Amino acid sequence: MTVRKAIIPVAGLGTRFLPATKAQPKEMLPVVDRPIIQHIVEEAVAAGIREIIFVTAIGKHAIENHFDRNFELEYRLEQQGKRAVLREVSRIGKLASFAFVRQAKPAGDGHAVLAALPFVDAHEPIAVLFGDDMIVAKQPGIAQLMATYQERQGSVVAVTPVPRRETYRYGVIAGTRVGAHTHAVRTFVEKPRPKDAPSRLAVIGRYVLAPELFPILRRQRPGKDGEIRLADAFGTALQLGVPLFAREIVGQRYDCGNPLGFLEANVALALQHPELKRPLRQFLRKTLRK
Ligand code: G1P
């Protein structure tokens, strides 16, 4: 079966961005001209996904509103003859079919996926996209994983090489290379110290979950911190001999979950923007000379 649905967990508190996220979701912070979450949704849509389930929590209404119509705004833009911006605004609600489920408590990314699973067919694979990671690539990041899923019929995690000193922030995999960008995963170590990391291939926030992972996730016990994590479910899957693949993402990934990565994404995307790239380049040159 092909991947038609995506789950996007957006229940996190965004503490790394306080005070900017005190009264607004971190997913609504803009990268150039649209919120991070719209970039993520557009990546999924560009990969052919038409149904998106957001896993939300209290305080995240702005995300629901963003992917809904806003008739009053559209009416006013129409009256003012602002056609181009009207098109941009009204297109957002039509990007896909959106559904929202609530995660009753912040109990881990696996727990968030479990909240959406009742709305997924037991036999259909699903894409999972985290709002923190932005991927800028010719072939959308999640489409790269979907291609690996089609070929291998097993769950797929996205990976990218990171400096060894940073492995403690990620799940790190090791395995056997089975294709130009694909590894059959043998080990998945969550947040290893650099000297214990089995490689420099770090897992980033894109997954395709094969249906055989669902029962494993349902049975997954909470870890030491009380959270049900996808990472632990992948570990269990490997112990049970359930195949797991890692796809090395071709493209640039920005960790928008921290202020530096967020700024890098803004600068990089603005430098590709038709109207912003020249004046921004001039500004950066001038500023860096000082
Ligand atoms: C989670 C995963 C980890 C992965 C990371 C990617 O960690 O558990 O395996 O590398 O996302 O962003 P978190 O950052 O939620 O602690």
Side-chain angles (χ1 to χ4, degrees):
M1 233 177 137
T2 50
V3 181
R4 292 181 301 118
K5 277 186 195 165
I7 297 175
I8 307 187
V10 292
L13 280 177
T15 43
R16 282 185 292 177
F17 262 109
L18 284 168
T21 51
K22 186 181 169 203
Q24 68 169 339
K26 63 175 176 177
E27 295 82 5
M28 291 302 294
L29 297 174
V31 172
V32 186
D33 58 354
R34 62 201 66 186
I36 295 175
I37 193 67
Q38 189 180 332
H39 287 282
I40 307 289
V41 164
E42 289 187 87
E43 176 187 326
V45 170
I49 284 168
R50 295 289 174 266
E51 289 173 55
I52 292 178
I53 307 171
F54 287 104
V55 183
T56 82
I58 200 155
K60 298 280 180 162
H61 280 305
I63 297 175
E64 289 177 48
N65 291 340
H66 189 73
F67 292 99
D68 197 355
R69 303 290 295 271
N70 182 337
F71 283 109
E72 189 181 337
L73 176 65
E74 291 177 26
Y75 175 75
R76 281 172 199 279
L77 292 172
E78 171 112 54
Q79 295 292 302
Q80 294 166 359
K82 296 187 171 162
R83 287 282 154 75
V85 64
L86 172 61
R87 259 200 310 279
E88 265 307 301
V89 164
S90 54
R91 150 187 108 79
I92 301 169
K94 300 178 208 147
L95 282 168
S97 298
F98 299 104
F100 298 85
V101 298
R102 297 281 279 237
Q103 188 179 7
K105 53 180 182 174
D109 53 19
H111 183 263
V113 170
L114 282 173
L117 276 193
F119 307 99
V120 171
D121 189 282
H123 306 292
E124 72 178 323
I126 43 162
V128 178
L129 297 89
F130 286 170
D132 283 351
D133 285 306
M134 258 190 69
I135 294 170
V136 178
K138 227 193 242 149
Q139 184 184 19
I142 195 67
Q144 298 179 34
L145 273 74
M146 285 159 63
T148 300
Y149 176 81
Q150 280 307 336
E151 200 183 321
R152 305 277 164 186
Q153 298 293 310
S155 297
V156 190
V157 300
V159 293
T160 193
V162 296
R164 192 162 271 279
R165 63 178 182 281
E166 288 179 17
T167 57
Y168 73 93
R169 291 172 45 199
Y170 300 94
V172 178
I173 65 107
T176 316
R177 188 179 283 281
V178 290
H181 307 291
T182 312
H183 305 258
V185 178
R186 201 175 44 244
T187 28
F188 186 125
V189 189
E190 181 67 353
K191 313 221 167 88
R193 286 180 297 186
K195 68 177 180 58
D196 302 326
S199 78
R200 292 195 301 111
L201 288 176
V203 175
I204 55 174
R206 298 289 183 276
Y207 308 87
V208 171
L209 305 184
E212 61 260 32
L213 201 85
F214 303 165
I216 294 173
L217 190 57
R218 287 198 186 94
R219 283 197 302 266
Q220 187 62 48
R221 295 280 177 103
K224 280 189 264 39
D225 53 5
E227 298 201 345
I228 299 174
R229 321 253 344 185
L230 283 178
D232 293 335
F234 292 133
T236 308
L238 290 172
Q239 279 170 17
L240 295 172
V242 173
L244 176 66
F245 298 92
R247 168 85 185 204
E248 277 187 63
I249 291 291
V250 178
Q252 187 61 45
R253 167 249 176 187
Y254 299 97
D255 179 5
C256 290
N258 77 69
L260 180 62
F262 173 74
L263 285 174
E264 288 172 354
N266 264 291
V267 173
L269 263 76
L271 286 173
Q272 290 176 12
H273 188 280
E275 281 147 42
L276 296 175
K277 61 183 178 194
R278 284 196 56 199
L280 179 63
R281 202 175 284 276
Q282 279 168 8
F283 168 78
L284 288 175
R285 273 208 203 97
K286 204 168 77 193
T287 309
L288 291 172
R289 247 186 262 128
K290 278 181 192 158

